[in-house]
Amino acid sequence: MHQTSGLHTFHIPVMGLGYTVDTPLKVAKFGISSVVSIMDDILLEDMRKIHSQKLNLPFEPISEEEEDYRAKRIQAYLDFLHTVIQSQLDTLKSENWNNDGIMKELVALLPKENEIARLFEAYLLADHFEKCDLKSQILTLLTPGSIDVNIMTKVDKLNFDKEGIELPREYSDALSALRGFGKSKLEAAVVFSAGMNPALYSYLEQFSDFFPDEKGEIKKRIILKVSDYRSALIQGKFLAKKGLFVSEFRIESGLNCGGHAFATDGFLAGPILEDFKTNREELIDTIRQSCNQALLAKTQAPLAESESIKITYQGGIGTAGEDNFLRNYYHLDGTGWGSPFLLVPEATSVDDETLQRIIEAKKSDFYLSHASPLGIPFNNLRTSSGEKQRLERIEKGRPGSPCYKKFLAFSTEFTEKPICTASRQYQNLKVKLFNDGKVSRHELDEILEKDCLCEGLSAPAILAQGELPRRNLKAVTICPGPNLAYFKGIYSLKEMVDHIYGKITLTLDSDRPHVFVKEAQLYVDYLKKEFQKLIPEAPTKQEAYLEKFRKNLDIGLTYYQNLVNSIKLDSEEILEKMKVQLEELKAELEQLKPVLS
């Protein structure tokens, strides 16, 4: 089975703005790939300053007075990560491997069948001359985890200068973030999430690193986070026609994930993965041929044979058995493990108070909310300090947040210049409409549920470093996937990685369903709520959509029923439990049918 970038079969996906902002500094040296959000240049500047001071490295601030400061800050932080991690690798290579150190930690984390682990075992037992040869072999195989970056394509606000004049398109939030990555020293990937942004995708053409060099190799790769096969094909072909090659399609569960949740039309992960498995070669060949044709037209070198497309999955995986099954049955190149790593301080940045709130939370505290100003369902934690602050502000008659960063300022309902729906300004205007009888209680409650994600998702990174965020805005918003409810403890990096590889088994909540069943449960619950929203005079189009959703969900459940009858898992008990749970879900779904008749 192939591996993702680095030495491991898993990667750590992006989590919020701050939870994985410095994860590469912690895990890249061990060959573990991770993803950093580059949407918040203010946070990146603060983190560069904090880590530079801790490492006694020079720090030159980049002021908002500088032209193109946002892209420059992003580039500076990514270059900082690159420099520090290169230094970590130099230390690893030069240390005495016979003694305890980074190298022994690295080897202890590797999957059992890894070639480096085998060679290192021989190295420890070898004589001096054999050691030199074995070390040389190991060094050729050692690769750091990739420092990939995430751009949420929908977060692409246009910006203005000090006189209020709109800046050119390339100074928008997403395009300037891409420019920061494009100019950085990193040889890594940009992960695009939340769908297609044609202007952003076209802007990739401005950077030569996204095209093959004279050897046909790509320095900066493109990863697309997708919800289904059709989306992958459409976006992949769109980019290929520009000579831009997608190096990986990262399939993410619609609902069984952290952060923003993009519910599919009832399509479940299993059937989606089956689509990729069945059509994988056609997908790769189609995109590769289209890309090479475009490169030929541009008189550029064609793709090297080594440049292929990886298919990975993330969302709700919780056991080594699930991980192995997904990779082997669906021929995946790797998996993503996100939310469980929030409980691993050696990997992510979560402040102590939030860690305790996660551990003490009940399953019902993990829920799908309306907290995001983007108007997209958002996985939330009822007991977070951010949620507590939001409710306190409402109680005091001062709903909403002060809006300093403005990354999610998109509403022009009340103002010519866009403002954020979580801002105090917007929410006060909504309350006034409610008081005038122009907005219903339900509509107002949905608006008051909006939270300041810009501050709440970045604060934990600063707090975890023992510092205070700017303006003392220290309330934390946590965006875990539902899967986190079943993990109850703080773990070392080795414990979590050993759990992923089946070397040990962490004690999980005994009620935890299989990853496929959990997602199906979330979809059935989601559909029930959508049915409850239907009003008697609901348009036929809305009813037809829900029926389509229900049918797709029913097809997915049937797929799972057939699957559990034809496969072997680690435990017969798991299979029997899945059969019962799938029958129950089928029955629940059947009960929704008469609503539309």
Side-chain angles (χ1 to χ4, degrees):
M1 188 60 57
H2 293 99
Q3 294 181 330
T4 52
S5 299
L7 307 176
H8 294 267
T9 61
F10 72 93
H11 63 268
I12 301 175
V14 68
M15 286 185 276
L17 294 169
Y19 293 109
T20 55
V21 69
D22 55 359
T23 293
L25 292 176
K26 302 176 179 184
V27 304
K29 62 180 174 284
F30 299 124
I32 299 172
S33 298
S34 59
V35 187
V36 175
S37 171
I38 55 170
M39 299 314 296
D40 186 346
D41 62 286
I42 300 167
L43 172 64
L44 300 188
E45 182 75 348
D46 288 346
M47 293 302 287
R48 183 168 67 92
K49 179 181 179 181
I50 289 168
H51 281 296
S52 294
Q53 289 172 344
K54 291 194 172 187
L55 294 169
N56 292 317
L57 295 172
F59 171 77
E60 288 291 331
I62 298 170
S63 164
E64 290 186 8
E65 302 300 315
E66 289 190 38
E67 185 183 353
D68 203 21
Y69 70 89
R70 177 172 161 77
K72 287 177 180 176
R73 284 176 169 179
I74 292 166
Q75 180 185 349
Y77 183 68
L78 298 179
D79 285 346
F80 169 80
L81 292 181
H82 172 82
T83 300
V84 174
I85 289 163
Q86 284 301 311
S87 175
Q88 291 174 348
L89 291 173
D90 290 341
T91 300
L92 180 153
K93 290 173 183 178
S94 62
E95 70 181 9
N96 185 337
W97 287 3
N98 290 303
N99 299 333
D100 290 341
I102 301 172
M103 189 61 193
K104 281 194 175 177
E105 286 183 66
L106 183 153
V107 172
L109 292 172
L110 294 173
K112 293 172 186 174
E113 66 277 10
N114 189 276
E115 179 68 2
I116 290 176
R118 186 189 67 78
L119 289 170
F120 189 73
E121 189 178 346
Y123 171 89
L124 292 175
L125 300 172
D127 61 30
H128 174 72
F129 294 106
E130 287 178 307
K131 267 182 165 53
C132 292
D133 178 53
L134 287 165
K135 185 166 186 175
S136 178
Q137 290 182 57
I138 291 169
L139 289 175
T140 61
L141 297 173
L142 271 182
T143 53
S146 190
I147 311 165
D148 297 328
V149 305
N150 179 258
I151 296 177
M152 191 174 178
T153 58
K154 293 185 186 299
V155 182
D156 194 18
K157 172 179 55 66
L158 297 174
N159 289 307
F160 299 80
D161 65 17
K162 288 179 180 176
E163 282 72 46
I165 299 169
E166 188 174 294
L167 292 168
R169 186 69 175 87
E170 61 264 29
Y171 290 93
S172 71
D173 283 351
L175 270 67
S176 56
L178 179 61
R179 184 163 58 257
F181 172 66
K183 290 184 172 183
S184 74
K185 297 174 185 174
L186 293 183
E187 291 190 26
V190 58
V191 182
F192 291 125
S193 59
M196 194 157 84
N197 179 336
L200 179 63
Y201 285 8
S202 296
Y203 192 54
L204 286 160
E205 295 182 80
Q206 301 299 313
F207 306 96
S208 59
D209 281 356
F210 288 106
F211 292 99
D213 60 18
E214 63 278 359
K215 295 180 182 177
E217 296 171 352
I218 302 171
K219 183 177 179 180
K220 286 187 168 66
R221 295 168 288 110
I222 299 166
I223 296 175
L224 297 185
K225 197 186 285 186
V226 294
S227 57
D228 56 37
Y229 179 81
R230 181 173 173 273
S231 172
L233 185 61
I234 291 170
Q235 294 188 71
K237 286 168 72 174
F238 180 88
L239 289 164
K241 287 175 182 176
K242 300 175 183 297
L244 297 162
F245 188 64
V246 176
S247 296
E248 182 181 335
F249 288 110
R250 201 160 273 187
I251 305 156
E252 183 171 70
S253 168
L255 292 178
N256 197 13
C257 61
H260 288 91
F262 297 86
T264 61
D265 295 345
F267 294 109
L268 297 174
I272 291 168
L273 289 169
E274 191 73 47
D275 266 354
F276 276 91
K277 177 181 174 180
T278 303
N279 300 299
R280 179 182 182 125
E281 295 309 316
E282 183 184 348
L283 175 70
I284 294 173
D285 290 346
T286 300
I287 291 174
R288 189 181 188 86
Q289 286 175 22
S290 179
C291 189
N292 276 333
Q293 285 174 5
L295 290 168
L296 183 64
K298 289 174 180 275
T299 64
Q300 288 187 257
L303 293 161
E305 285 301 315
S306 58
E307 293 291 348
S308 189
I309 298 177
K310 292 176 181 175
I311 310 290
T312 62
Y313 171 79
Q314 59 194 45
I317 308 170
T319 68
E322 290 174 355
D323 188 89
N324 278 322
F325 169 73
L326 288 166
R327 286 188 296 108
N328 293 319
Y329 187 81
Y330 293 106
H331 303 167
L332 298 178
D333 298 291
T335 53
W337 282 66
S339 295
F341 274 102
L342 291 171
L343 297 172
V344 182
E346 290 174 76
T348 56
S349 287
V350 186
D351 58 289
D352 292 340
E353 181 188 337
T354 301
L355 270 173
Q356 288 308 313
R357 286 175 185 266
I358 294 170
I359 292 166
E360 292 166 9
K362 303 185 293 289
K363 290 189 197 70
S364 57
D365 291 327
F366 296 83
Y367 73 113
L368 203 57
S369 72
H370 296 288
S372 174
L374 290 174
I376 299 164
F378 182 80
N379 279 296
N380 213 339
L381 183 69
R382 293 185 203 279
T383 56
S384 71
S385 56
E387 185 64 4
K388 181 185 175 189
Q389 174 183 261
R390 182 187 69 83
L391 294 171
E392 285 174 350
R393 284 171 170 171
I394 294 170
E395 210 171 294
K396 290 174 183 174
R398 287 176 58 79
S401 307
C403 190
Y404 298 111
K405 294 183 175 178
K406 304 188 188 318
F407 296 126
L408 302 180
F410 293 110
S411 175
T412 53
E413 182 182 349
F414 299 112
T415 56
E416 188 176 333
K417 195 171 179 180
I419 59 175
C420 179
T421 55
S423 70
R424 187 162 291 153
Q425 180 185 4
Y426 181 90
Q427 296 201 0
N428 282 339
L429 289 166
K430 273 292 181 183
V431 169
K432 189 174 184 303
L433 286 182
F434 171 74
N435 292 336
D436 293 342
K438 295 176 181 177
V439 166
S440 71
R441 180 79 245 179
H442 173 74
E443 288 175 293
L444 180 64
D445 286 344
E446 217 169 83
I447 288 298
L448 296 182
E449 200 176 337
K450 306 297 178 198
D451 194 14
C452 180
L453 303 187
C454 296
E455 302 290 354
L457 291 176
S458 64
I462 305 293
L463 293 169
Q465 291 297 324
E467 305 279 343
L468 279 177
R470 299 186 187 199
R471 305 179 186 89
N472 203 26
L473 292 171
K474 55 186 179 182
V476 170
T477 302
I478 184 86
C479 53
N483 191 37
L484 190 57
Y486 304 102
F487 288 79
K488 292 296 178 187
I490 296 175
Y491 308 104
S492 69
L493 178 63
K494 188 169 190 316
E495 284 174 324
M496 186 57 71
V497 174
D498 283 354
H499 175 73
I500 291 170
Y501 290 139
K503 295 178 184 178
I504 65 168
T505 301
L506 297 177
T507 303
L508 304 186
D509 191 299
S510 58
D511 290 338
R512 183 185 178 277
H514 185 273
V515 58
F516 281 166
V517 172
K518 179 63 180 181
E519 188 199 46
Q521 291 172 343
L522 292 167
Y523 266 95
V524 170
D525 288 344
Y526 180 87
L527 184 58
K528 281 181 187 175
K529 287 172 185 171
E530 291 302 304
F531 272 125
Q532 288 165 6
K533 291 178 188 175
L534 271 181
I535 54 175
E537 60 273 19
T540 308
K541 186 177 178 182
Q542 190 178 355
E543 290 189 355
Y545 168 74
L546 291 181
E547 177 59 10
K548 174 187 170 187
F549 193 112
R550 192 197 66 78
K551 282 184 177 175
N552 289 337
L553 200 44
D554 188 57
I555 290 168
L557 291 173
T558 301
Y559 169 87
Y560 286 148
Q561 287 179 318
N562 293 333
L563 185 70
V564 296
N565 287 322
S566 63
I567 60 167
K568 286 186 177 180
L569 293 178
D570 294 346
S571 161
E572 278 297 319
E573 186 183 341
I574 293 173
L575 281 173
E576 290 305 314
K577 186 179 176 183
M578 287 177 73
K579 288 175 186 177
V580 172
Q581 290 169 324
L582 291 168
E583 281 293 338
E584 290 171 351
L585 288 170
K586 272 273 194 179
E588 285 185 60
L589 202 58
E590 191 68 24
Q591 289 174 3
L592 293 174
K593 283 178 74 174
V595 179
L596 292 172
S597 58

